[in-house]
Amino acid sequence: MNLPALLDTLAKDSDRHLDELVQWLKIPSISSDTSHREPTAAAADWVAAKLQNAGLATELVPTDGHPMVIAQTPAVPGAPVALVYGHYDVQPVEPLEEWKTGPFEPTVRDGNLYARGATDDKGQVLTHVQSVCDWLATGEPLPLQIKFLIEGEEEVGSENLERMLPSLRERLACDCVVISDSGQYAEGQPAITYGLRGIATYELELKGPAQDLHSGSFGGAVMNPAIALCHLLSSIVDREGRIQIEGFYDDVQALSQAERDAWARLPQSDAQFAKGVGVTELFGEKGFTTDERRWARPTFDVNGLRSGHQGEGVKTIIPATASAKLSFRLVANQNPQTVTTALQRHLEQHLPSGVRFTLRPDHGAPGMLADPESRFATAASRAIEAAFGVAPVMIREGGSIPIVTRFQDVLDCDCLLLGWGLSDDNAHSPNEKFKIQDYHRGIAASAMLWSELGKLSESK
Amino acid sequence: MNLPALLDTLAKDSDRHLDELVQWLKIPSISSDTSHREPTAAAADWVAAKLQNAGLATELVPTDGHPMVIAQTPAVPGAPVALVYGHYDVQPVEPLEEWKTGPFEPTVRDGNLYARGATDDKGQVLTHVQSVCDWLATGEPLPLQIKFLIEGEEEVGSENLERMLPSLRERLACDCVVISDSGQYAEGQPAITYGLRGIATYELELKGPAQDLHSGSFGGAVMNPAIALCHLLSSIVDREGRIQIEGFYDDVQALSQAERDAWARLPQSDAQFAKGVGVTELFGEKGFTTDERRWARPTFDVNGLRSGHQGEGVKTIIPATASAKLSFRLVANQNPQTVTTALQRHLEQHLPSGVRFTLRPDHGAPGMLADPESRFATAASRAIEAAFGVAPVMIREGGSIPIVTRFQDVLDCDCLLLGWGLSDDNAHSPNEKFKIQDYHRGIAASAMLWSELGKLSESK
């Protein structure tokens, strides 16, 4: 393949690329809304047709929910196999009144394309679809086999995909999964994300008296479950964010000095970060920088608190119950089940007298940590630098994408998280956008990635 | 007055007494419900007519809300003046489906009269109305002047009465206020309540980031307001209910040894008490019994907690805010304003980093402590023993009745709390009741109280 010629073609086709993204974004594929079942299916049809027309072997795979699109180019003996994972479903659009233009009326403003799904994930996954289709349109074969798995239930938890994944093992067999559903480090500074935190979430309920009691007649004699909850939650984490559960840090994989050095060179201002989220000061575990705390240290958060009187004014009661929604972010090597066992024991040991508790685990997933110097990461780095004009930084991300660890486990593959988005793209919020320049750079980086990956010999 | 003859008359009239209570209870005088303005006024008219017909100088005094009924018998030179305070308004009736018979269809079952307002307070205040009317019906003069103040806004906070009280000072001038709006110590064991706790209530709000944040991207770097709230509230009170605010106990009036000895003789079982409210064990400040903790020690309660995700399932956020509703019960000598100042300072000193707080005081009232051996208490004790066949025990009560301290302050009078109710009367709850025997014994005790008080010479 004459790569400069392909890049020329891609550049000439940029208007069509944008038109096609606009077409796809017009389809309101809100997976969580049962009234949107038809447009959600239509969004699957749209991308399946595009892949099919480009010559890929394409199938709509039904699930108990929305269908998955699975497609592939021909096998290339001796070369690795790449699997592009993405999703065509989008988040709900409420509050609608905060959108400057309709969420399904894609609109260009200031170099950005505004629409629900622009960055999450139609715009990002389409970069790979476009690069493959355009490559094939040149008549030249791809230097490796590329598979696509584009599902319609990422925004509702990917439960059907998780369950079906083992049965799709042969079909999706690959050396590396490529996912573009995240962000660059900063505007104009692309990144490769090689680590994700895991997660473990819980609902905790404390029960005291059989019903709300008059705080005058009973105050001082009966333990108040809301106060007990405060004492109990305070025992889990200190005021600096250090988790107090016995053995909690035993499995935590320490940061390497190389990582710490690399991250220390990233442009980062705590003052600017604090201002961006509207707090007067940051906080966290002593001895770690802000990025280290967010990306590579486990954390504990209370996501919700509820007890007693919720309405206006005063109701002087001892509430019968108090409850909290809790979540841990975990790092590589930490196991959600081990955390659950330790948490249960901690709660038993620190429960104030006079109340009972119930802990309900909700969901858990381990963290992901890939090798930032793997041959795939090195190949991706070269491709991104060529397309963006800047070498990507190697970072981790504090969030959790449970399906990624499932891919690693079930498909026994490597993983590349190549986000083209920006932190202010308003994913999941009103006025979601995607920078048009990043869409085009993403397509070019994707084409160069296939070229670079094609140079690697098959690993297994 | 031939007292035995009067008591005979009262006994013969018991059917009429009950019929009249039933009439009054049929009037749905829910003061908080603007759609019940007419029946609330009708309940005022009913008792005003009863007092007027018995010969009392009676007036309906309009307020910005529901009217007050003020009535009085002729002055008796040399004798003290008693003011009976009570209320004709009642609590709402929801949840209606839990009532076995309609809340405004008074029904007799097992020796009890079931209806909203049966014990709180129509049944109880009517004991004094009946005794005075029947006394006057004998043609004999009362041995003291008796005034009535029966308001229609007790269940909505008595704000109009509180505001108007100074302007009514002359009209309501008295030596002792008599209130029957509380309970006996236990079934068949009447009590005189000589102490009430005060109260101070607050709303506390903590603010962190400008909006809810993703706990993956920001967890560990930004203080979680819900966790900060737990640490902050935990700093106010320890796990045994001991308040940690500096100087909080400085003004607390210690229990006398005589009181502790007297209360130690009250029949009381912690195990039974715990079982009654549905907890496995009681708790509280070391070195005090359950009654001492409830009646004579200040306490802190969290009445409501709210932060972050309230719905089903998980939403992994760092909430932008966390709030709590707080209340202290205070004892004699403690000043709510002093408590507010100390609480504000405590919060400033113990606030976790990275959050701001707002404390909004709601309402406050000091505690009440009367002399359990005053001449009025001694006279009431004799009257109650004669009517109930058992001498009343002298107790305090953990709740707060702000108007009582206002009476003491504005009218410079003593105060007698003579509750005829029982703890299982379901005041404010479905299936409110009043034991019919207690209604009749209350009327007799009231008549004997006027006789006993008449023997005391005027104090001022």
Side-chain angles (χ1 to χ4, degrees):
Chain A
M1 164 60 70
N2 179 340
L3 207 59
L6 175 63
L7 293 177
D8 262 8
T9 309
L10 292 175
K12 278 179 200 141
D13 279 355
S14 64
D15 285 353
R16 179 181 53 78
H17 291 158
L18 189 61
D19 286 348
E20 288 178 350
L21 176 55
V22 166
Q23 281 177 37
W24 203 18
L25 289 172
K26 281 184 177 171
I27 306 174
S29 49
I30 304 171
S31 53
S32 61
D33 186 342
T34 51
S35 75
H36 281 63
R37 184 160 278 276
E38 279 184 38
T40 304
D45 293 343
W46 187 93
V47 73
K50 166 120 186 108
L51 291 164
Q52 177 97 45
N53 292 340
L56 282 82
T58 306
E59 193 190 350
L60 276 165
V61 178
T63 75
D64 288 347
H66 303 291
M68 296 185 282
V69 177
I70 297 182
Q72 62 180 56
T73 62
V76 178
V81 177
L83 170 66
V84 174
Y85 165 78
H87 62 96
Y88 63 81
D89 65 324
V90 301
Q91 280 275 315
V93 295
E94 288 73 24
L96 198 56
E97 65 277 13
E98 290 187 20
W99 287 79
K100 287 189 185 146
T101 48
F104 300 110
E105 296 158 13
T107 306
V108 174
R109 283 198 302 278
D110 303 328
N112 296 304
L113 182 62
Y114 286 84
R116 171 58 85 225
T119 190
D120 180 14
D121 179 47
K122 285 173 178 168
Q124 294 207 55
V125 70
L126 196 59
T127 61
H128 301 296
V129 173
Q130 297 285 17
S131 73
V132 168
C133 293
D134 279 23
W135 189 305
L136 294 174
T138 66
E140 295 245 14
L142 281 153
L144 77 169
Q145 184 177 34
I146 298 172
K147 299 178 177 180
F148 284 93
L149 167 63
I150 304 177
E151 68 151 326
E153 302 189 300
E154 198 269 351
E155 301 293 4
V156 291
S158 303
E159 279 179 27
N160 286 311
L161 172 56
E162 278 221 37
R163 197 171 51 245
M164 292 164 74
L165 196 57
S167 69
L168 296 167
R169 190 190 317 241
E170 284 300 305
R171 234 163 130 179
L172 300 177
C174 64
D175 298 285
C176 182
V177 176
V178 175
I179 306 176
S180 292
D181 194 13
S182 51
Q184 304 177 50
Y185 180 71
E187 178 131 21
Q189 176 54 70
I192 294 177
T193 301
Y194 65 94
L196 295 167
R197 291 199 286 188
I199 193 164
T201 68
Y202 305 89
E203 297 198 39
L204 173 67
E205 186 177 42
L206 263 58
K207 290 194 181 187
Q211 55 191 22
D212 292 352
L213 296 178
H214 191 291
S215 76
S217 306
F218 298 95
V222 175
M223 173 54 93
N224 181 314
I227 293 177
L229 182 66
C230 289
H231 278 292
L232 191 54
L233 294 179
S234 297
S235 77
I236 294 177
V237 64
D238 72 12
R239 285 166 172 249
E240 281 167 349
R242 180 92 186 167
I243 293 156
Q244 305 294 307
I245 295 172
E246 202 183 325
F248 183 84
Y249 290 93
D250 288 357
D251 295 334
V252 169
Q253 184 168 324
L255 274 155
S256 74
Q257 194 54 49
E259 281 182 293
R260 304 188 79 162
D261 292 345
W263 294 355
R265 288 191 295 270
L266 295 175
Q268 165 82 342
S269 153
D270 276 0
Q272 210 164 17
F273 185 95
K275 199 179 162 196
V277 297
V279 295
T280 48
E281 52 184 321
L282 299 181
F283 102 116
E285 250 189 311
K286 275 207 191 327
F288 296 93
T289 67
T290 299
D291 281 343
E292 288 169 355
R293 290 167 178 163
R294 296 193 299 144
W295 295 345
R297 298 295 299 171
T299 48
F300 171 71
D301 273 295
V302 172
N303 314 118
L305 282 178
R306 187 179 179 88
S307 180
H309 184 49
Q310 302 285 312
E312 264 185 54
V314 168
K315 193 174 177 191
T316 46
I317 52 169
I318 298 175
T321 65
S323 59
K325 296 181 190 267
L326 316 176
S327 64
F328 293 89
R329 296 287 171 169
L330 309 177
V331 296
N333 279 351
Q334 284 191 293
N335 180 313
Q337 279 73 41
T338 310
V339 169
T340 299
T341 307
L343 175 62
Q344 175 80 28
R345 195 175 50 228
H346 179 94
L347 296 176
E348 285 162 8
Q349 288 170 351
H350 292 79
L351 188 73
S353 59
V355 291
R356 294 148 288 149
F357 81 93
T358 317
L359 180 70
R360 280 185 294 276
D362 188 277
H363 71 273
M368 183 280 275
L369 190 58
D371 176 6
E373 296 177 355
S374 75
R375 58 200 187 118
F376 298 110
T378 307
S381 182
R382 280 195 300 266
I384 292 170
E385 181 169 4
F388 283 76
V390 182
V393 290
M394 308 302 289
I395 62 173
R396 299 203 213 172
E397 155 60 39
S400 315
I401 313 180
I403 199 71
V404 172
T405 31
R406 291 287 289 155
F407 285 140
Q408 289 182 313
D409 287 354
V410 176
L411 305 179
D412 188 23
C413 61
D414 216 317
C415 196
L416 281 175
L417 301 177
L418 312 176
W420 315 134
L422 294 175
S423 62
D424 67 351
D425 274 348
N426 299 322
H428 295 212
S429 296
N431 304 307
E432 179 175 346
K433 68 171 177 66
F434 192 25
K435 190 173 171 181
I436 294 169
Q437 187 186 10
D438 286 330
Y439 175 57
H440 295 309
R441 292 196 287 209
I443 294 170
S446 176
M448 283 186 272
L449 176 65
W450 311 138
S451 173
E452 291 291 340
L453 292 180
K455 296 173 190 166
L456 307 175
S457 61
E458 193 177 10
S459 69
K460 44 184 176 178
Chain B
M1 161 62 68
N2 179 340
L3 207 58
L6 176 63
L7 293 177
D8 263 7
T9 310
L10 292 176
K12 280 178 200 143
D13 279 354
S14 65
D15 285 354
R16 178 181 53 78
H17 291 156
L18 189 60
D19 286 349
E20 288 178 349
L21 176 55
V22 166
Q23 282 175 38
W24 203 18
L25 289 172
K26 281 183 178 171
I27 307 173
S29 49
I30 304 171
S31 52
S32 62
D33 187 342
T34 50
S35 74
H36 281 62
R37 183 159 278 277
E38 278 185 36
T40 305
D45 293 342
W46 188 94
V47 72
K50 167 119 185 109
L51 291 164
Q52 177 97 46
N53 292 341
L56 282 83
T58 305
E59 193 189 351
L60 276 165
V61 178
T63 75
D64 287 348
H66 304 291
M68 296 185 282
V69 177
I70 297 182
Q72 62 181 54
T73 62
V76 179
V81 178
L83 170 67
V84 174
Y85 165 78
H87 62 96
Y88 63 82
D89 65 323
V90 300
Q91 279 275 316
V93 295
E94 287 74 24
L96 198 56
E97 65 277 11
E98 290 186 20
W99 287 79
K100 286 187 187 149
T101 48
F104 300 111
E105 297 157 15
T107 306
V108 174
R109 283 198 303 275
D110 303 329
N112 296 304
L113 181 63
Y114 285 84
R116 171 58 84 227
T119 188
D120 180 16
D121 178 46
K122 286 174 177 168
Q124 293 208 57
V125 69
L126 197 59
T127 60
H128 300 297
V129 173
Q130 297 287 17
S131 72
V132 168
C133 293
D134 279 24
W135 189 305
L136 293 175
T138 65
E140 295 246 13
L142 280 153
L144 77 170
Q145 182 177 34
I146 298 173
K147 300 177 178 180
F148 284 93
L149 167 64
I150 305 178
E151 68 151 324
E153 302 190 299
E154 199 270 350
E155 300 293 4
V156 289
S158 303
E159 279 180 27
N160 286 312
L161 172 56
E162 279 221 37
R163 198 173 48 246
M164 291 165 73
L165 197 56
S167 68
L168 297 167
R169 188 191 318 241
E170 283 300 306
R171 237 165 128 175
L172 300 178
C174 65
D175 298 286
C176 183
V177 176
V178 176
I179 306 176
S180 293
D181 193 13
S182 53
Q184 304 176 50
Y185 180 71
E187 177 130 24
Q189 176 53 70
I192 294 177
T193 301
Y194 65 94
L196 295 167
R197 290 199 286 188
I199 193 165
T201 68
Y202 305 89
E203 298 197 40
L204 173 67
E205 186 176 40
L206 263 57
K207 290 193 180 188
Q211 56 191 23
D212 293 352
L213 297 178
H214 190 290
S215 75
S217 306
F218 298 96
V222 175
M223 173 54 94
N224 182 313
I227 293 177
L229 183 66
C230 289
H231 278 292
L232 191 55
L233 295 179
S234 297
S235 77
I236 295 177
V237 64
D238 72 13
R239 285 166 171 249
E240 280 167 350
R242 180 90 187 168
I243 293 156
Q244 304 295 307
I245 296 172
E246 201 183 323
F248 183 84
Y249 290 93
D250 288 357
D251 296 333
V252 169
Q253 184 168 321
L255 274 154
S256 74
Q257 194 54 49
E259 280 181 295
R260 305 188 78 163
D261 291 346
W263 295 355
R265 289 190 294 271
L266 295 174
Q268 164 83 344
S269 153
D270 276 359
Q272 211 164 16
F273 185 95
K275 200 179 161 196
V277 296
V279 294
T280 48
E281 53 183 320
L282 299 180
F283 102 116
E285 250 189 312
K286 274 207 190 330
F288 296 93
T289 67
T290 299
D291 281 344
E292 289 169 354
R293 290 167 178 163
R294 296 193 301 143
W295 295 344
R297 297 297 298 173
T299 48
F300 170 72
D301 273 297
V302 172
N303 313 117
L305 281 179
R306 186 178 180 87
S307 180
H309 183 48
Q310 303 285 313
E312 264 184 56
V314 168
K315 193 175 178 189
T316 47
I317 52 168
I318 299 174
T321 65
S323 59
K325 295 178 190 269
L326 317 176
S327 63
F328 293 89
R329 296 287 171 170
L330 309 177
V331 297
N333 279 353
Q334 284 190 292
N335 179 312
Q337 279 72 42
T338 310
V339 169
T340 299
T341 307
L343 175 62
Q344 175 80 29
R345 196 175 48 227
H346 179 94
L347 296 176
E348 285 163 9
Q349 288 169 351
H350 292 79
L351 187 72
S353 60
V355 291
R356 295 147 287 151
F357 82 93
T358 317
L359 181 71
R360 279 184 296 274
D362 188 277
H363 71 274
M368 183 280 274
L369 191 58
D371 176 6
E373 294 177 353
S374 75
R375 58 199 185 118
F376 298 111
T378 307
S381 183
R382 282 195 298 267
I384 292 170
E385 182 169 5
F388 282 76
V390 181
V393 290
M394 308 303 288
I395 63 173
R396 299 203 213 173
E397 155 59 38
S400 315
I401 312 181
I403 200 72
V404 172
T405 30
R406 291 288 289 156
F407 286 140
Q408 289 183 312
D409 288 351
V410 175
L411 306 179
D412 188 22
C413 60
D414 216 317
C415 195
L416 281 176
L417 301 177
L418 312 176
W420 316 134
L422 294 175
S423 62
D424 68 350
D425 273 349
N426 298 323
H428 294 212
S429 296
N431 304 306
E432 180 175 346
K433 70 172 176 65
F434 192 23
K435 190 173 171 180
I436 294 169
Q437 187 187 9
D438 286 330
Y439 175 56
H440 294 308
R441 292 196 287 208
I443 295 170
S446 175
M448 283 185 273
L449 177 65
W450 309 140
S451 173
E452 291 291 341
L453 292 180
K455 294 174 190 166
L456 307 175
S457 61
E458 191 178 16
S459 69
K460 45 185 176 177

